[in-house]
């Protein structure tokens, strides 16, 4: 029997988005908050499989605005949140070929304006090699450079948020699977879980790849498709040592469709594309040798040392993708139901801003359909999928 019988708010999903929202609701003094996760916090979903890239460079301005609001939180994590999110300032590069230089300049200008307090530049290949000797610039025409960019540890970030939330009174209910949102007279009344019922007038679904099924019986249907995501880790001495002959930045390379970043001083993380067809009812399949081998071949075109580097680990997990690869954030269905899911691989770097704005909106009555109040969240409303008003890039790349 679940002892947490009543609450003022229930947040479903213990990844970085759910943890951040629970924390912000507690800071706002909302009352008794229960954070439910079907496993352990940051253990099963996208958070622990994220590359943790921190960047402002995007193809749509709304994303840039949210990440610009989030970056200072990562930089000042201990003072603002407590604990350690693992932030490392490595610099960020967005690499493009000759066909996308003007696109790079356009998107780079938006990022530069959002940074305000620090420059963002467009670099030529020789300038790239001077900053990061571990990179090959074959096929690269230019790069957008953000000195303040870098990475953080997504799992440590979520755990830190939950620890801070617990200090504020949030109850982290791990191993609690939310099966159904409970509604009474047109308003949310709580949730049914595998261990009993929890009553609450507010439910936030931040359940990532698991999407909206707990609210499907209430007419809430989002086109969130679960996909398998993965990354690999290689031993690469000097990768994270600025000035080293092997140094590399946090990077997205549009010429070969991959991302990578250093990890500590002597390792490299890189993304591994994988089969998008998944069954959430089964354990996630580990990355195959063929998948990892293809990723090594791609990344080694940009970081030649990866071709012979020792692989020291891989991870695979699930994330939820929407048709425009942007999240659904805002009220949906009965009064008291709020969504923050479908982040499509991009949620980590904007989590602090999403949580801040969503919590403000909820506390001002914005969990009621039609009363949402945060302009920065307007492009992400769940209703855009039904109306066809999807978020479209202002300037697109080949892969991003």
């Amino acid at each position: 029997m679940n002892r947490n019988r009543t609450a003022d708010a229930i947040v479903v999903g213990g990844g970085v988005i759910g943890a951040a929202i629970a924390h912000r609701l507690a800071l706002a003094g909302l009352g008794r908050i229960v954070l439910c996760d079907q496993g352990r916090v940051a253990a099963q979903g996208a958070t622990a499989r994220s590359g943790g890239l921190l960047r402002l460079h995007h193809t749509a301005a709304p994303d840039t605005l949210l990440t610009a609001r989030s970056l200072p939180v990562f930089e000042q994590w201990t003072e603002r949140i407590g604990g350690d999110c693992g932030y490392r300032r490595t610099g960020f590069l967005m690499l493009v070929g000759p066909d996308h230089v003007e696109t790079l300049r356009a998107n780079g200008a938006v990022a530069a304006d959002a940074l305000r307090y620090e420059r963002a530049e467009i670099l030529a290949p020789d300038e790239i090699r001077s900053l990061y000797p571990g990179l090959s610039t074959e096929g690269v025409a230019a790069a957008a450079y953000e000195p303040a960019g870098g990475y953080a540890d997504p799992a440590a970030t979520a755990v830190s948020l939950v620890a801070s939330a617990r200090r504020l009174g949030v109850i982290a209910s791990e191993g609690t699977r939310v099966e159904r949102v409970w509604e009474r007279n047109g308003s949310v009344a709580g949730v049914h879980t595998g261990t009993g019922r929890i009553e609450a007038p507010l439910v936030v679904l931040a359940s990532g790849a698991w999407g909206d099924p707990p609210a499907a019986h209430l007419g809430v249907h989002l086109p969130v498709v679960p996909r398998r995501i993965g990354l690999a880790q290689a031993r690469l001495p000097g990768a994270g040592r600025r000035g080293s002959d092997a140094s590399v930045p946090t990077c997205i390379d549009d010429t070969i469709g991959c991302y990578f970043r250093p990890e500590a001083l002597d390792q490299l993380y890189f993304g591994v594309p994988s089969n998008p067809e998944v069954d959430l009812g089964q354990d996630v399949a580990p990355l195959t040798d063929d998948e990892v081998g293809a990723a090594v071949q791609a990344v080694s075109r940009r970081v030649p040392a990866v071709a012979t580097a020792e692989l020291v680990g891989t991870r695979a997990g699930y994330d939820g993708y929407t048709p425009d690869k942007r999240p659904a954030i805002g009220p949906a269905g009965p009064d008291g139901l709020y969504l923050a899911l479908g982040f499509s691989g991009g949620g980590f770097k904007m989590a602090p801003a999403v949580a801040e704005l969503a919590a403000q909106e909820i506390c001002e009555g914005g969990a009621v359909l039609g009363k949402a109040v945060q302009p920065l969240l307007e492009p992400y409303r769940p209703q855009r999928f039904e109306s066809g008003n999807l978020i479209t890039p202002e300037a697109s790349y080949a892969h991003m």
Side-chain angles (χ1 to χ4, degrees), residues 2-11 22 25-26 29-35 168-173 198-202:
N2 193 313
R3 293 180 295 172
N4 304 326
R5 299 294 295 173
T6 62
D8 295 289
I10 300 166
V11 180
L25 291 175
L30 194 62
R32 182 181 176 90
I33 300 164
V34 177
L35 174 64
L168 294 168
V170 171
I171 299 166
S173 185
I198 308 173
E199 298 183 14
L202 170 69

Side-chain angles (χ1 to χ4, degrees), residues 289-363:
D289 289 346
D290 287 345
E291 289 171 330
V292 176
V296 167
Q297 185 176 15
V299 175
S300 62
R301 290 173 54 191
R302 191 62 58 227
V303 186
V306 170
T308 56
E310 175 191 4
L311 287 175
V312 295
T314 64
R315 299 180 195 171
Y318 298 133
D319 200 1
Y321 283 72
T322 66
D324 60 9
K325 297 184 180 179
R326 266 80 183 182
I329 307 172
D335 292 347
L337 180 64
Y338 196 93
L339 308 182
L341 46 80
F343 281 80
S344 309
F348 176 69
K349 59 189 173 297
M350 61 177 64
V354 168
E356 174 198 2
L357 297 170
Q360 289 177 5
E361 191 162 74
I362 289 167
C363 292

Side-chain angles (χ1 to χ4, degrees), residues 1 73 88 90 128 154 252 330 344 375-376 378:
M1 180 67 67
V73 180
R88 299 293 181 270
T90 64
I128 297 169
I252 295 177
S344 309
L376 288 178
E378 281 303 316

Side-chain angles (χ1 to χ4, degrees), residues 209-272:
W210 284 263
D212 57 22
H217 65 289
L218 301 175
V220 177
H221 300 286
L222 289 179
V224 176
V225 177
R227 293 186 181 180
R228 178 167 161 267
I229 59 173
L231 57 80
Q233 186 176 0
R235 185 173 181 275
L236 200 67
R241 301 174 189 268
R242 293 299 292 268
S244 162
D245 288 344
S247 67
V248 297
T250 298
C251 183
I252 295 177
D253 186 344
D254 189 59
T255 70
I256 54 178
C258 69
Y259 77 83
F260 53 85
R261 67 160 174 86
E263 166 67 9
L265 298 178
D266 297 314
Q267 296 188 50
L268 188 81
Y269 274 5
F270 55 94
V272 180

Side-chain angles (χ1 to χ4, degrees), residues 91-170:
F92 168 78
L93 287 182
M94 177 74 199
L95 305 179
V96 300
D99 293 342
H100 292 94
V101 173
E102 291 309 310
T103 298
L104 185 81
R105 293 187 186 279
N107 290 327
V110 177
D113 183 61
L115 273 169
R116 296 186 184 281
Y117 64 93
E118 190 163 11
R119 73 192 191 283
E121 306 174 38
I122 303 298
L123 302 182
D126 59 336
E127 294 173 301
I128 297 169
R129 290 192 301 271
S130 177
L131 279 173
Y132 299 103
L135 294 184
S136 164
T137 55
E138 181 182 357
V140 174
Y145 173 51
E146 298 174 20
Y151 69 90
D153 182 325
T157 298
V159 169
S160 176
L161 283 164
V162 172
S164 184
R166 278 176 163 151
R167 291 192 291 270
L168 294 168
V170 171

Side-chain angles (χ1 to χ4, degrees), residues 70-102:
S70 295
L71 183 58
V73 180
F74 287 108
E75 293 175 316
Q76 303 158 25
W77 192 265
T78 301
E79 295 79 14
R80 294 199 183 194
I81 308 295
D84 184 9
C85 70
Y87 169 67
R88 299 293 181 270
R89 179 186 170 116
T90 64
F92 168 78
L93 287 182
M94 177 74 199
L95 305 179
V96 300
D99 293 342
H100 292 94
V101 173
E102 291 309 310

